[in-house]
Amino acid sequence: MKKNKIIFWVATTIIILWEGVMPLSTLLFAPDQATVGTAPLGYPDYFAYTLIICKALGVLAISFPNVPAKLREWAYAGLSFNLIFAFISHACVDKNIGFMLMPLVVLGILAVSYVYGHKIRAK
């Protein structure tokens, strides 16, 4: 049980930092850099701001234990869709293998968080 909690929190902390803190801090402290990742892919500026807010809300939903289960499931789904579509966007537009692999790595960490979250909540 303790091992499962440690794995869950390590994976979830990585997701919190990568999908929540980094984009939100960019928006707050370097707003001119907020669209650096989405503009080269052809997305409008407002899309980057929407992604940042949705990522932050999703991270909040998966990190607090008292969040209703359905909302947590939707947060995991939304973050998963975001990462899958980031992979697809990079595969279609810039074809940079590093940019294509990073969302898949983060998706794998998100999957670990999801699986181990279920394991610790089932007991």
Side-chain angles (χ1 to χ4, degrees):
M1 179 69 171
K2 187 173 182 172
K3 179 183 104 174
N4 290 348
K5 281 188 176 182
I6 291 171
I7 294 171
F8 167 76
W9 280 112
V10 167
T12 304
T13 301
I14 293 169
I15 296 300
I16 290 168
L17 293 173
W18 192 264
E19 292 292 308
V21 174
M22 284 179 25
L24 199 55
S25 64
T26 301
L27 184 62
L28 295 174
F29 301 114
D32 56 314
Q33 300 293 314
T35 61
V36 167
T38 55
L41 296 173
Y43 293 111
D45 288 348
Y46 66 83
F47 185 71
Y49 300 116
T50 305
L51 271 180
I52 291 170
I53 299 303
C54 290
K55 285 180 179 186
L57 291 173
V59 162
L60 287 174
I62 68 170
S63 59
F64 287 111
N66 294 336
V67 172
K70 282 195 184 228
L71 183 59
R72 188 178 302 111
E73 293 287 326
W74 276 100
Y76 274 111
L79 291 169
S80 297
F81 294 146
N82 169 54
L83 293 166
I84 291 166
F85 290 128
F87 167 76
I88 292 170
S89 293
H90 286 292
C92 291
V93 176
D94 58 16
K95 297 172 181 56
N96 182 324
I97 194 72
F99 292 160
M100 290 165 50
L101 286 179
M102 195 53 154
L104 297 179
V105 170
V106 177
L107 182 62
I109 296 168
L110 184 67
V112 169
S113 171
Y114 179 79
V115 168
Y116 279 88
H118 275 288
K119 284 184 180 184
I120 63 174
R121 287 183 195 92
K123 296 180 182 183

